[in-house]
Every structure is written in structure tokens, then in C-alpha cells.
Amino acid sequence: MQIKKKTLSRAEWYSDTQRTYRHIYHNDEYFEGGIGLISFVGLEAPNTVQSKDHTLCIADNGYHWLELAPKDSHVVLTAMFDRENNLFQCYFDITKRNDVAPDGDASFLDAFLDVVVTGDESPVVLDLDELSLALSEGVITQKEHDMYMAESHRLINALNKNRGAFYALLKNYFNLF
């Protein structure tokens, strides 16, 4: 087990023939960092995940992933939009570090823990078992473990208090592209 470096373009998941990717550096009163947009155009089959009660399509042709990597943060967000550009899921990677280039492209060190919120459902913390294993194997320190847990709780509290405004802001960022 090791901390993995990932990219805002998610090039480690999909080949260039299956999606387009654009990015910008953005700075406003709510956000500073890299924003990327992945548009799926050549997937042979939809990419689905199992949620609580049903199978959820997270990527298909015509879908978009808005990627936000805040500067000096421990979170990267993937906001998922369907063919009609409706936001249907937010997936937060808790990160050890975000590296944001001046042009907005970014990479990050994924710290195992994730928070996901679909529609109006309550946010859910994922991969607590992976975080615990990373701690027991010495991949992360107790201090890092506690910081990642605190970050996930901060996110959940913020989402529970301001979800509507947050979703509206994401739609504005989506429209930058």
C-alpha cells in the first residue's frame, strides 16, 4: 500500500481517445486553484458504481467531470454532470498535497479517504478501512490520519450547511468551459 499520485485530468484512468480535458487557473472570493473539465466522448460502455440502493452511472459519453484542486488544500473534488449538464454527484478525494501549476493543471497525492454526496443524500465517508490499513502499515502517521479524518468531518459539516449554494457555485464553474 502506498500513497498514489493522481492527476486532475484522470489520465491514469481513461485514455485520450475516451475523453477530452481542458483546465484553467481560477481565483475568486470562494476558490483559488486548478479547475479542469473532463468530457467523455469515446467510452465503449458506461462506467457504473454500486450505491446504497442502486447502480449509478458515473461516466458515459456526454457526461462531464468538473475537477477542482484548491491551492494549499487537502481536498480534490470531482463534480459529476450528466448529458443534460445536471450535477448528480460530488466525490471528494482527501489529499496529502495538491500541486497546482500556474496554468491550472494539477496533480495530488491521494490520502485514501474519500467523501461522496449524491443529489440530496447525506454525505458519506468512504475507505475508512484503507485509511486504517495505511496507518497500521506505517504509510501515514497518526498525525496525518487525524488530519485526514478532521478534513472529512469539515467537508461533511460544510456540505450539510451550504449544499445549495455550493452546488450553484459548481454550476458556475462548469459554465467557465
Side-chain angles (χ1 to χ4, degrees), residues 104-164:
D105 205 6
S107 63
F108 59 97
L109 299 177
D110 189 347
F112 307 107
L113 196 62
D114 304 302
V115 173
V116 65
V117 60
T118 302
D120 292 330
E121 294 178 13
S122 295
V124 176
V125 177
L126 303 176
D127 303 327
L128 286 167
D129 55 337
E130 288 184 29
L131 186 69
S132 294
L133 183 60
L135 178 62
S136 69
E137 291 186 0
V139 176
I140 63 171
T141 65
Q142 185 67 51
K143 182 178 178 180
E144 289 171 321
H145 174 278
D146 295 346
M147 190 267 298
Y148 301 148
M149 289 298 299
E151 188 66 31
S152 71
H153 294 300
R154 184 196 66 76
L155 263 174
I156 289 170
N157 289 335
L159 287 166
N160 286 335
K161 289 179 184 174
N162 303 306
R163 190 175 316 181

Side-chain angles (χ1 to χ4, degrees), residues 26-33 169 172-173:
H26 186 77
N27 187 2
D28 65 23
E29 63 184 300
Y30 304 106
F31 176 86
E32 181 178 2
L169 186 62
N172 288 338
Y173 292 153

Side-chain angles (χ1 to χ4, degrees), residues 95-111:
T95 66
K96 181 174 183 169
R97 185 180 76 239
N98 297 346
D99 296 315
V100 182
D103 69 355
D105 205 6
S107 63
F108 59 97
L109 299 177
D110 189 347

